[in-house]
Amino acid sequence: MSVNINDKDHNQEKRLTPALYTLLEACLEKKTTNTKILATYLGLSPATIRTEFQRILAFMNVHCRYEALRTAEEKGLIRRKPRAKKVS
């Protein structure tokens, strides 16, 4: 699954790859952007996580990981999963 965003300046399509989409969702699920935690959780190297974050930041034209998460949520690229209600 890839998400298209039109680049008006260059008239070409940019895509969020499945790996980048997975990384953003993992950030929400684990409630962190910590490289080591995400690398362990996703079974990837820390270097891969850092590289993927650089691609995400460039893709969204933002300056930090938290801003990337907020932007992705605002654009509907990722969604926070609703919390389960406690049954008493």
Side-chain angles (χ1 to χ4, degrees):
M1 173 186 192
S2 62
V3 177
N4 297 328
I5 293 182
N6 291 325
D7 183 359
K8 295 177 183 177
D9 296 333
H10 301 292
N11 197 24
Q12 62 188 25
E13 289 185 359
K14 292 184 179 182
R15 291 191 170 99
L16 183 63
T17 66
L20 301 181
Y21 181 80
T22 300
L23 177 56
L24 289 171
E25 287 191 328
C27 291
L28 290 180
E29 189 172 324
K30 293 307 249 181
K31 298 180 183 169
T32 189
T33 60
N34 181 282
T35 299
K36 289 181 182 179
I37 293 170
L38 293 168
T40 301
Y41 178 69
L42 295 172
L44 300 170
S45 74
T48 300
I49 298 298
R50 285 190 295 274
T51 300
E52 288 182 348
F53 266 122
Q54 288 302 312
R55 289 182 178 142
I56 290 168
L57 296 178
F59 174 80
M60 295 186 178
N61 196 27
V62 295
H63 301 288
C64 71
R65 294 176 179 192
Y66 289 109
E67 191 177 359
L69 286 171
R70 189 181 71 238
T71 301
E73 282 186 295
E74 288 172 359
K75 293 187 180 223
L77 300 177
I78 58 174
R79 229 181 303 189
R80 284 195 192 273
K81 293 183 173 121
R83 292 183 182 185
K85 293 182 181 180
K86 291 183 179 180
V87 178
S88 18

